[in-house]
Amino acid sequence: MAKFVIAGRADCPHYAKAELLADYLQKNLPDFRIYKITQCPDVWEEWLENVCEENKWNHKNSPIIWRELLDRGGKGLLLGGYNEFLEHVQLYYGVTSSMTTEMMMIIAQENLEAHLEKKQEKENLKGLISPLQIWITSAASPACYNLIPILTSGQVFGLHTEISLTLFDQEEVEKSLQGLVLETEDLASPVLRSVSFCTKVEEAFRQADVIIVLEDSMEEEVHTLEDCLRSRVPLCRLYGYLMEKNAHESVRVVVGGKTFVNLKAVLLMRYAPGIARNIIAVALGVEGEAKAAVARKLKTAPSCIKDVIIWGNISGNNYVDLRKARVYRYESAIWGPPHFSRPVLDLIFDSDWLKREFVVTLKNLTDTGQQFGGILAAHSITTTLKYWYHGSPPGEIVSLGVLSEGQFGIPEGIVFSMPVKFENGTWVVLTDLKDIEISEQIMARMTSDLIQEKLVALGDVLTFQPYQSDDKQEKQEITPDHKASVYSDLVPDENKHLAVSDVEISELSHHTTSVTPSFQEPISDLEGNTEER
């Protein structure tokens, strides 16, 4: 089997003559095969130089013809140009070409036009299959390292949706970003069209369809809670401006992390009002922690626990509501089909565990950020995105931090975690749920802290004022020595299924934390923190 490769400039008359002769031989000889390569005149010399350098050949003109000793792409044996090919054909096959110069020029022009049309067709096809542009901020963080394999697996956006990843962070971590890009390419994911990194502020979120805002690392030293809150404003102002300027109008923004998640989301909405509806805060991490705690108590798998509701501040003063929670595939005296479930509260007979141990466990997890590492953050974010694009499981309640419009008596203008469902590419607050009313006292504690955070961050209030109830007995009970009993003191017996994860704001204000701002350009007064709540 004789296998030849004929390459040349698309407008080269000698290539046209060699091509026509090779076509004749392939048509009439059963063991003669050719493969053609044409290049635009403006890139031909560079292409030829690269081919010769790679194969250690010396050839200067068009066309270049070689014989492959294996299949195409294998080891090649240089034959030469048009004259060498003509001599070879005459010697081995007794065939020559009688094409006139005028005909050579006509065919060369036709080859050029066909090459340009084919090139344009390829560009048009690429335009029809436009990848989803995904940007990840603070890309050098551990959460991003765990996030990328899930995003590129095809499980989030679908196996038929190509994605293009851009990792965004500051210049100081450029080497880490380069390494992360190479590792991502090594995944050889069929849905990953491209991956790159960006450290230039003005290029951030260019043509973004999805923006994932991760926990930003900080270096600046802060001494008070008020400084922590105010330090979030410059970065959110910068991000909000860039999102509205560079991203698509329909961009979807997901805010994750373990500190000030609600505050960051509401600040982004303030500085990017055009896309405010498409900015959400991820609450599935806290929801997952609560499900795992309940599952350990019931000795079942966390995936069997459904419809746990997280109310309030995702990374601070929040409540875990078990009134709608159900357990599936539970091993007990009562069995049913896969869709059969039982209320969680009917199976937990230890009310003391609900009032104390369960509350303290969740409070510690929220307070310290313990267990909310890269894996949980990545899974929570990707699951939220999957629901956003493809819908949440039918009939299942999902917790999500969204801008309040007065639902459930929550004040407007704050981001509050509440029950929702995802459908048709958007989310809907489940205001029609029955028996989920929350007492005014509990709601006031949650909303007061979020309002105070926003006011202090924006400079409308100088000092953070923790919520104080008019009830003197409550004031006396809410002390560091009585954290474990906050839940039982605030919630009446009939509401024992509301669990509180309460962070004492007053204690945080006395801590000093060394933190690093995740971005310092172009705003020179950027400050930040990792003060955990």
Side-chain angles (χ1 to χ4, degrees):
M1 177 70 70
K3 300 179 181 179
F4 290 88
V5 177
I6 302 177
R9 280 196 340 263
D11 63 345
C12 175
H14 291 100
Y15 170 82
K17 192 170 184 178
E19 175 194 27
L20 204 64
L21 180 58
D23 286 340
Y24 173 82
L25 292 171
Q26 181 171 251
K27 181 178 180 181
N28 293 277
L29 299 176
D31 295 330
F32 189 95
R33 295 289 180 270
I34 61 170
Y35 178 73
K36 306 172 188 177
I37 301 175
T38 56
Q39 295 292 337
C40 288
D42 55 340
V43 301
W44 163 253
E45 290 186 1
E46 181 181 356
W47 182 88
L48 179 62
E49 182 180 350
N50 292 335
V51 170
C52 291
E53 182 180 351
E54 181 180 350
N55 293 277
K56 304 295 188 282
W57 294 338
N58 184 19
H59 189 84
K60 301 295 184 182
N61 302 315
S62 172
I64 179 173
I65 304 171
W66 67 88
R67 181 174 179 177
E68 290 193 343
L69 303 182
L70 301 174
D71 290 334
R72 182 167 60 88
K75 179 65 178 178
L77 179 64
L78 179 64
L79 189 62
Y82 165 73
N83 291 329
E84 289 80 8
F85 179 64
L86 189 61
E87 291 176 3
H88 180 84
V89 170
Q90 288 177 332
L91 178 62
Y92 280 89
Y93 306 108
V95 178
T96 187
S97 175
S98 58
M99 182 184 295
T100 63
T101 301
E102 182 180 0
M103 183 60 67
M104 290 167 56
M105 299 299 294
I106 293 174
I107 295 178
Q109 183 62 32
E110 291 177 351
N111 282 345
L112 178 60
E113 293 175 358
H115 177 80
L116 294 176
E117 289 178 3
K118 188 176 181 179
K119 182 179 179 181
Q120 185 62 43
E121 184 179 352
K122 288 182 178 179
E123 292 298 325
N124 293 338
L125 288 175
K126 287 182 179 179
L128 293 175
I129 311 175
S130 179
L132 202 65
Q133 300 291 334
I134 303 174
W135 283 71
I136 306 175
T137 72
S138 304
S141 65
C144 182
Y145 198 84
N146 293 279
L147 188 64
I148 290 175
I150 308 177
L151 290 174
T152 57
S153 67
Q155 299 177 7
V156 180
F157 304 103
L159 294 173
H160 300 291
T161 301
E162 291 189 340
I163 65 174
S164 178
L165 286 179
T166 305
L167 312 178
F168 180 53
D169 213 321
Q170 53 188 342
E171 292 183 0
E172 286 78 359
V173 296
E174 184 171 329
K175 288 186 177 180
S176 298
L177 296 179
Q178 291 174 346
L180 191 54
V181 167
L182 293 176
E183 282 198 72
T184 304
E185 292 174 340
D186 292 343
L187 293 174
S189 168
V191 301
L192 181 63
R193 172 75 70 83
S194 65
V195 57
S196 60
F197 69 88
C198 176
T199 57
K200 297 180 179 179
V201 175
E202 63 274 10
E203 296 295 325
F205 313 134
R206 184 78 65 185
Q207 300 300 313
D209 296 300
V210 176
I211 299 174
I212 301 174
V213 181
L214 297 180
E215 189 75 33
D216 47 305
S217 57
M218 299 290 177
E219 281 180 354
E220 295 286 331
E221 186 176 281
V222 292
H223 298 275
T224 65
L225 174 62
E226 288 77 9
D227 290 338
C228 294
L229 295 171
R230 296 186 187 106
S231 67
R232 301 289 166 173
V233 175
L235 189 62
C236 290
R237 184 194 302 125
L238 172 63
Y239 281 180
Y241 167 75
L242 294 171
M243 287 174 186
E244 288 219 322
K245 177 185 177 183
N246 296 336
H248 282 299
E249 294 180 358
S250 58
V251 64
R252 304 182 184 191
V253 182
V254 177
V255 182
K258 59 184 179 182
T259 58
F260 302 106
V261 177
N262 297 55
L263 176 63
K264 288 187 290 187
V266 79
L267 290 176
L268 287 174
M269 293 174 184
R270 177 184 179 88
Y271 296 115
I275 60 172
R277 169 71 185 181
N278 284 351
I279 300 176
I280 60 175
V282 177
L284 289 185
V286 182
E287 185 178 313
E289 291 173 342
K291 289 179 178 179
V294 171
R296 285 190 291 267
K297 179 65 175 178
L298 295 177
K299 295 181 173 56
T300 187
S303 61
C304 296
I305 310 297
K306 306 291 184 182
D307 300 339
V308 174
I309 302 175
I310 307 300
W311 297 92
N313 192 344
I314 297 167
S315 52
N317 188 9
N318 55 57
Y319 282 78
V320 177
D321 190 346
L322 301 180
R323 283 176 290 184
K324 295 294 180 181
R326 304 188 70 85
V327 57
Y328 292 77
R329 302 187 300 278
Y330 185 63
E331 296 185 8
S332 66
I334 302 175
W335 285 83
H339 62 270
F340 174 75
S341 64
R342 301 174 65 186
V344 165
L345 294 175
D346 289 353
L347 300 174
I348 299 179
F349 305 102
D350 188 352
S351 60
D352 188 65
W353 179 85
L354 276 174
K355 291 181 179 181
R356 300 185 183 279
E357 185 178 342
F358 181 54
V359 174
V360 172
T361 298
L362 295 180
K363 189 205 76 67
N364 289 337
L365 291 175
T366 302
D367 192 3
T368 64
Q370 182 182 357
Q371 294 185 7
F372 198 82
I375 295 177
L376 181 56
H379 180 266
S380 304
I381 290 169
T382 53
T383 302
T384 302
L385 279 172
K386 179 181 178 180
Y387 290 168
W388 203 348
Y389 273 85
H390 302 291
S392 53
E396 188 171 322
I397 300 173
V398 179
S399 300
L400 185 69
V402 299
L403 186 65
S404 170
E405 297 177 352
Q407 306 96 326
F408 308 108
I410 302 168
E412 298 182 10
I414 59 174
V415 170
F416 200 90
S417 179
M418 59 184 79
V420 305
K421 67 176 178 179
F422 288 92
E423 60 180 6
N424 301 323
T426 187
W427 46 266
V428 179
V429 178
L430 298 176
T431 55
D432 57 346
L433 291 177
K434 298 180 180 180
D435 302 324
I436 59 169
E437 293 79 10
I438 299 178
S439 69
E440 293 182 4
Q441 189 180 62
I442 298 173
M443 184 64 75
R445 285 187 59 81
M446 293 188 289
T447 57
S448 174
D449 288 348
L450 288 171
I451 293 172
Q452 284 285 310
E453 283 185 1
K454 181 180 178 181
L455 292 176
V456 172
L458 295 175
D460 296 330
V461 173
L462 296 180
T463 305
F464 189 97
Q465 298 292 334
Y467 172 78
Q468 295 292 335
S469 171
D470 294 334
D471 182 51
K472 295 182 180 180
Q473 182 178 358
E474 183 190 357
K475 292 180 182 180
Q476 182 179 359
E477 292 291 333
I478 306 281
T479 64
D481 296 333
H482 294 83
K483 288 182 184 177
S485 62
V486 169
Y487 164 76
S488 57
D489 291 334
L490 288 182
V491 185
D493 291 338
E494 59 270 21
N495 289 335
K496 69 178 182 179
H497 30 273
L498 278 177
V500 60
S501 177
D502 183 24
V503 181
E504 292 297 323
I505 303 297
S506 59
E507 289 186 0
L508 287 179
S509 62
H510 300 298
H511 293 177
T512 300
T513 306
S514 180
V515 286
T516 304
S518 79
F519 217 90
Q520 297 184 358
E521 292 184 17
I523 299 176
S524 59
D525 63 339
L526 268 183
E527 296 179 358
N529 68 91
T530 53
E531 190 82 21
E532 296 179 346
R533 302 186 53 230

